[in-house]
Amino acid sequence: EPEVTQTPSHQVTQMGQEVILRCVPISNHLYFYWYRQILGQKVEFLVSFYNNEISEKSEIFDDQFSVERPDGSNFTLKIRSTKLEDSAMYFCASSGTGQKNSYTFGSGTRLTVV
Amino acid sequence: DQQVKQNSPSLSVQEGRISILNCDYTNSMFDYFLWYKKYPAEGPTFLISISSIKDKNEDGRFTVFLNKSAKHLSLHIVPSQPGDSAVYFCAASLWGGQNFVFGPGTRLSVLP
């Protein structure tokens, strides 16, 4: 069964450093998403991406965040200057149709900011 | 901002019995609801959904009920199996929106 792949599974970074979280969506999917889950809290929407542009973003997705689809297969989330409160599990998801019951989530990248 | 609530952080059920997971929401503009299951070290997996024009949707052992007037939905799993042990998230979406608002999750343990 096709999977959404996220790398690395765990990343530790120093506060103030830039990190890039990588995702390989399912190959024929057109809609891409990032969610995050701070430990002990709920899963929160960050951003959706379609046709090479952001289609929707949440209040969390401020200027320190950016997304990119640098080639035909990768979808990245960049955090420019990490803060301690950015520590969370970050989930990438993709969808072929944009239908809400069709999202496939990756297994996540655990980001720890120290 | 608790737009989607799952008031039971955990639930234990005997194998073969019914599991009922509850979810309440506050925003009456939500029109599409989903249940996701999550195992440790994995991403959420879609389980079942329901739109606001229906009050019940069934898929095998899983049934979701929606009570719009009470702003309440529930997931029934019958019969429960040990492999159903996971965290279950309720999620809601606005019409036309692409993102979900997740509840905090309920950890279901199905005991053999």
Side-chain angles (χ1 to χ4, degrees):
Chain A
E1 189 167 331
E3 289 183 343
V4 174
T5 305
Q6 291 186 244
T7 55
S9 57
H10 190 191
Q11 174 136 14
V12 181
T13 189
Q14 285 207 316
M15 191 169 57
Q17 295 294 304
E18 174 184 286
V19 293
I20 297 176
L21 308 182
R22 302 182 191 278
C23 171
V24 178
I26 293 173
S27 62
N28 60 349
H29 281 187
L30 302 175
Y31 299 81
F32 313 107
Y33 313 87
W34 283 100
Y35 282 76
R36 78 172 185 189
Q37 185 180 25
I38 295 171
L39 187 64
Q41 299 186 25
K42 60 184 179 179
V43 178
E44 300 172 294
F45 169 74
L46 292 178
V47 66
S48 59
F49 190 86
Y50 170 72
N51 201 25
N52 283 319
E53 60 183 26
I54 291 173
S55 47
E56 202 169 331
K57 62 181 181 178
S58 71
E59 293 175 352
I60 302 168
F61 195 88
D62 61 21
D63 291 343
Q64 70 159 344
F65 291 92
S66 62
V67 288
E68 196 177 33
R69 189 153 163 80
D71 53 43
S73 60
N74 291 283
F75 178 53
T76 61
L77 174 69
K78 182 190 292 186
I79 309 175
R80 194 171 61 227
S81 176
T82 50
K83 304 191 283 279
L84 295 176
E85 54 264 38
D86 293 327
S87 296
M89 182 72 88
Y90 287 81
F91 293 105
C92 172
S94 71
S95 165
T97 62
Q99 287 186 353
K100 295 170 189 177
N101 60 358
S102 68
Y103 293 20
T104 300
F105 281 84
S107 55
T109 293
R110 180 170 296 286
L111 175 66
T112 302
V113 182
V114 296
Chain B
D1 177 18
Q2 290 266 335
Q3 292 194 73
V4 178
K5 305 175 189 180
Q6 293 175 256
N7 291 324
S8 298
S10 64
L11 175 69
S12 292
V13 171
Q14 209 68 37
E15 181 180 4
R17 297 291 188 100
I18 183 172
S19 295
I20 300 176
L21 297 109
N22 293 304
C23 176
D24 297 287
Y25 60 96
T26 56
N27 190 340
S28 56
M29 300 299 289
F30 287 141
D31 75 330
Y32 196 84
F33 306 89
L34 309 93
W35 284 94
Y36 279 86
K37 179 170 72 173
K38 186 181 179 304
Y39 294 117
E42 294 184 14
T45 303
F46 170 75
L47 203 55
I48 193 168
S49 63
I50 189 167
S51 75
S52 59
I53 62 172
K54 300 176 75 173
D55 54 19
K56 177 182 174 182
N57 189 25
E58 196 170 348
D59 184 2
R61 296 186 297 115
F62 302 93
T63 303
V64 56
F65 295 92
L66 175 63
N67 183 334
K68 289 185 288 294
S69 59
K71 296 194 187 69
H72 176 84
L73 64 155
S74 61
L75 174 68
H76 292 209
I77 307 173
V78 182
S80 301
Q81 299 172 353
D84 296 329
S85 297
V87 177
Y88 287 78
F89 293 99
C90 170
S93 175
L94 297 169
W95 183 86
Q98 294 182 36
N99 75 82
F100 307 134
V101 178
F102 280 82
T106 296
R107 181 177 300 279
L108 173 67
S109 299
V110 180
L111 310 172

